[in-house]
């Protein structure tokens, strides 16, 4: 697999660029990859807006799909991040009340749909697996009181795999450490003892 990673922040934050490159990734992209980052208007506190990253991801998928080789694209988005989201210019049609987060969630969903439509238009959906996941539970943000009211026992990290031709929900105790070997198995790899990561 050709491995590509992209996010809107600097690749130096948390040493992400070095970590991905030292773990087999062939290409990494962050705001510090741009020669003229200061002139890019689509930015927020963390770096590039999601609209930029999704646009870049669609272009990357098109390029990789034409290579004829297996590939994996990993991307990190920031739009729904606390404390009160980072809306990009495409989020103008959403009503914002006491929190920007619901609008950011709707906007991110719109970006994801566009990305899935792009994969479909390239004719590679039959051979493509899409994983959508949260990297952690929402921390203190403008919806914190509502999240607390749900109760910690009912809050869940989000993890879904599209493109496996299996429609089922698995509701079992797990940790983020289970995600990597699960993705490997869905891609056709059989990790020894069904474990991988540490």
């Amino acid at each position: 697999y050709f491995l590509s990673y992209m996010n809107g922040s600097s690749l130096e934050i948390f040493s992400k660029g070095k970590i991905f490159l030292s773990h087999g990734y062939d290409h990494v992209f962050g705001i510090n990859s741009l020669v003229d980052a200061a002139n890019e208007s689509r930015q927020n506190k963390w770096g590039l807006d999601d609209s930029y990253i999704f646009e870049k991801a669609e272009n990357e998928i098109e390029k990789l799909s034409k290579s004829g080789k297996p590939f994996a694209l990993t991307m990190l988005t920031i739009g729904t991040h606390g404390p009160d989201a980072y809306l990009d210019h495409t989020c103008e049609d959403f009503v914002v009340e006491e929190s920007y987060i619901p609008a950011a969630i709707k906007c991110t969903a719109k970006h994801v749909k566009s990305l899935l439509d792009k994969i479909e238009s390239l004719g590679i959906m039959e051979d493509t697996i899409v994983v959508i996941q949260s990297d952690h539970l929402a921390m203190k943000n403008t919806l914190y009181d509502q999240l607390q009211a749900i109760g910690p026992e009912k809050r869940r990290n989000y993890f879904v795999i599209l493109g496996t031709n299996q429609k089922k929900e698995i509701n079992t105790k797990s940790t983020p450490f289970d995600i990597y070997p699960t993705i490997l198995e869905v891609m056709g790899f059989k990790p020894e003892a069904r474990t991988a990561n540490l």
Side-chain angles (χ1 to χ4, degrees):
Y1 280 77
F2 182 92
L3 304 177
S4 181
Y5 170 80
M6 57 183 55
N7 76 179
S9 66
S10 168
L11 294 169
E12 294 174 2
I13 294 176
F14 310 123
S15 299
K16 284 186 281 190
K18 289 180 181 177
I19 289 170
F20 278 99
L21 289 173
S22 68
H23 283 70
Y25 273 72
D26 302 288
H27 175 254
V28 296
F29 174 84
I31 191 169
N32 55 322
S33 303
L34 294 177
V35 176
D36 59 344
N39 293 322
E40 176 52 57
S41 62
R42 294 180 287 174
Q43 292 190 42
N44 59 55
K45 175 183 170 184
W46 285 92
L48 297 166
D49 286 345
D50 282 359
S51 63
Y52 187 103
I53 295 302
F54 274 95
E55 181 182 300
K56 180 113 177 122
E58 288 187 21
N59 292 334
E60 181 81 346
I61 288 172
E62 183 167 9
K63 182 180 86 173
L64 293 172
S65 70
K66 290 178 179 175
S67 73
K69 298 177 182 177
F71 66 89
L73 169 64
T74 305
M75 59 186 288
L76 176 67
T77 63
I78 199 69
T80 61
H81 202 283
D84 198 21
Y86 296 94
L87 298 182
D88 59 56
H89 74 284
T90 67
C91 298
E92 295 174 341
D93 57 338
F94 296 113
V95 176
V96 176
E97 294 175 1
E98 72 276 0
S99 171
Y100 284 96
I101 292 175
I105 291 169
K106 290 177 183 176
C107 192
T108 298
K110 191 166 80 170
H111 287 313
V112 170
K113 183 179 182 321
S114 176
L115 185 65
L116 293 173
D117 289 345
K118 178 68 172 185
I119 294 169
E120 187 74 47
S121 75
L122 292 170
I124 60 172
M125 189 60 96
E126 293 298 316
D127 298 325
T128 301
I129 295 163
V130 178
V131 177
I132 304 170
Q133 69 178 80
S134 57
D135 59 342
H136 56 76
L137 294 176
M139 293 182 272
K140 195 160 189 177
N141 60 34
T142 51
L143 295 179
Y144 191 69
D145 290 342
Q146 292 177 43
L147 294 174
Q148 289 299 98
I150 292 170
E153 68 284 347
K154 291 186 180 176
R155 293 180 65 198
R156 300 283 185 271
N157 277 304
Y158 188 78
F159 179 73
V160 66
I161 302 174
L162 307 174
T164 62
N165 295 323
Q166 296 180 22
K167 293 186 177 181
K168 63 180 179 179
E169 180 178 329
I170 300 171
N171 190 4
T172 185
K173 289 185 178 182
S174 63
T175 73
F177 292 110
D178 297 306
I179 291 172
Y180 178 49
T182 301
I183 293 171
L184 287 178
E185 287 193 13
V186 169
M187 291 172 67
F189 296 98
K190 300 296 180 194
E192 187 177 335
R194 302 191 74 199
T195 62
N197 212 343
L198 297 178

